[in-house]
């Protein structure tokens, strides 16, 4: 088996770059994990099968205080979950092992609007950062990537080992609804209003982390 814990650094491309439109060039940051099993149960297999989950944050947007609400902050998130496979391109006891990954599954465009309390105000005033507005818009996503991990030779076949891994993946998804940035506002009745739009998802995801095997 292989268990990977990864950090994510994502760069939207095409129409999705304009959709994200954050203050740091569209870049997203996050984390994730993947879990893979040998389908041949102990025999050598160049292909492993499993599941992959990733979370990305694409920044936030602040809404000033009004007579109905204190200051609010909306975070824009992107999540993927689905089956994956890994094809090992070399078989050797130690050294750099290149691989190809593929995944497909569900993506979620998520937003959360909460009270924008400072950490100090939360402690002193015991204010709760409750969610005022939350949305989830689902769609399909697929991806293909290449990477490598630094394999170490084990003393015993059943021992666990940890290695560094690196992967570059391109992901694409169908057109999915999302909340437009700078469209969230509070009207004179205290209602939270926002605008929806639709966009395809295309991004380059740089993953790096620890692989336990």
């Amino acid at each position: 088996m292989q268990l990977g814990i990864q950090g994510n650094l994502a760069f939207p491309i095409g129409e999705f770059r304009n959709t994200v439109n954050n203050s740091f060039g569209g870049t997203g940051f996050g984390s994730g994990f993947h879990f893979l099993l040998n389908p041949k149960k102990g025999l050598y297999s160049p292909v492993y099968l499993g599941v992959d989950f990733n979370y990305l944050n694409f920044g936030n947007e602040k809404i000033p205080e009004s007579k109905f609400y204190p200051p609010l902050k909306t975070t824009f998130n992107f999540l993927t979950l689905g089956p994956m496979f890994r094809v090992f391109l070399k078989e050797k006891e130690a050294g750099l092992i290149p691989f190809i990954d593929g995944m497909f599954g569900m993506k979620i465009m998520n937003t959360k609007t909460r009270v924008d309390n400072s950490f100090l105000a939360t402690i002193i005033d015991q204010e709760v950062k409750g969610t005022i507005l939350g949305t989830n818009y689902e769609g399909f996503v697929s991806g293909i990537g290449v990477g490598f991990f630094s394999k170490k030779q084990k003393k015993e076949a059943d021992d666990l080992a940890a290695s560094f891994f690196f992967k570059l993946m391109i992901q694409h998804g169908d057109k999915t609804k999302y909340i437009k940035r700078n469209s969230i506002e509070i009207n004179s009745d205290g209602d939270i209003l926002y605008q929806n739009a639709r966009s395809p998802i295309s991004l380059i995801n740089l993953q790096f982390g620890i692989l336990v095997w």
Side-chain angles (χ1 to χ4, degrees):
M1 70 92 181
Q2 289 192 345
L3 172 65
I5 307 296
Q6 64 245 17
N8 291 314
L9 184 60
F11 306 94
I13 54 179
E15 187 177 337
F16 191 46
R17 183 180 178 86
N18 296 326
T19 298
V20 172
N21 189 30
N22 61 26
S23 58
F24 27 92
T27 307
F29 307 88
S31 59
F33 71 88
H34 62 274
F35 181 74
L36 297 163
L37 288 174
N38 180 347
K40 293 188 177 181
K41 299 181 180 179
L43 300 176
Y44 171 75
S45 172
V47 179
Y48 275 37
L49 305 174
V51 65
D52 180 64
F53 169 80
N54 287 284
Y55 160 80
L56 289 167
N57 173 261
F58 283 107
N60 58 64
E61 171 185 316
K62 295 193 176 185
I63 303 172
E65 181 178 1
S66 69
K67 66 177 181 179
F68 300 102
Y69 289 100
L72 302 177
K73 180 171 70 175
T74 300
T75 56
F76 296 85
N77 309 301
F78 178 73
L79 302 93
T80 62
L81 174 65
M84 72 172 288
F85 66 85
R86 173 164 295 165
V87 180
F88 300 101
L89 302 180
K90 280 189 178 181
E91 178 190 1
K92 55 183 180 179
E93 293 296 325
L96 293 180
I97 308 296
F99 59 79
I100 295 175
D101 278 1
M103 65 81 60
F104 61 94
M106 178 177 67
K107 69 176 185 293
I108 300 175
M109 300 286 285
N110 166 269
T111 64
K112 286 188 181 297
T113 301
R114 299 183 177 186
V115 176
D116 185 22
N117 298 322
S118 68
F119 178 76
L120 184 61
T122 302
I123 297 300
I124 295 176
D125 300 333
Q126 297 182 345
E127 296 183 29
V128 178
K129 288 194 174 184
T131 299
I132 306 299
L133 172 69
T135 63
N136 290 299
Y137 298 125
E138 299 87 6
F140 177 80
V141 67
S142 61
I144 187 77
V146 295
F148 64 85
F149 72 99
S150 55
K151 188 175 182 181
K152 301 175 182 178
Q153 191 163 5
K154 298 181 180 181
K155 293 181 179 179
E156 300 290 340
D158 293 335
D159 290 346
L160 288 179
S163 303
F164 175 80
F165 82 92
F166 175 92
K167 181 172 70 174
L168 190 63
M169 174 168 274
I170 296 178
Q171 293 178 299
H172 180 75
D174 58 349
K175 276 195 172 184
T176 304
K177 188 187 295 186
Y178 68 94
I179 290 182
K180 294 179 65 174
R181 286 180 181 269
N182 302 312
S183 73
I184 300 176
E185 59 182 18
I186 301 170
N187 66 13
S188 58
D189 295 324
D191 300 320
I192 297 181
L193 306 177
Y194 55 88
Q195 296 178 24
N196 285 323
R198 297 179 69 87
S199 171
I201 308 299
S202 296
L203 58 87
I204 298 173
N205 192 358
L206 175 64
Q207 296 183 356
F208 49 89
I210 300 298
L211 192 67
V212 178
W213 51 280

